[in-house]
Amino acid sequence: MRFEIMRLDDVDGTPVDTTVVDAASVNRIVQQAASIGQRLWIRPAGNAAS
């Protein structure tokens, strides 16, 4: 499964950066964001027909 991760602006919460990663990478990204107090929005990524 793949997830879309949006990094959010500290002031108004608008997305400033978006990336799509596999499930194995989500924990690493969340840990990094938590260590510096960064806000994230994580949701399942849309799937194109395979």
Side-chain angles (χ1 to χ4, degrees):
M1 182 167 204
R2 297 180 60 78
F3 292 89
E4 180 179 18
I5 299 178
M6 289 174 265
R7 297 180 195 280
L8 304 177
D9 182 78
D10 290 337
V11 176
D12 62 9
T14 58
V16 294
D17 183 21
T18 301
T19 188
V20 176
V21 299
D22 60 359
S25 300
V26 173
N27 186 49
R28 177 183 51 82
I29 292 170
V30 169
Q31 292 296 323
Q32 288 174 345
S35 72
I36 61 173
Q38 190 172 48
R39 295 167 53 191
L40 300 176
W41 179 15
I42 303 171
R43 65 182 181 183
N47 244 359
S50 299

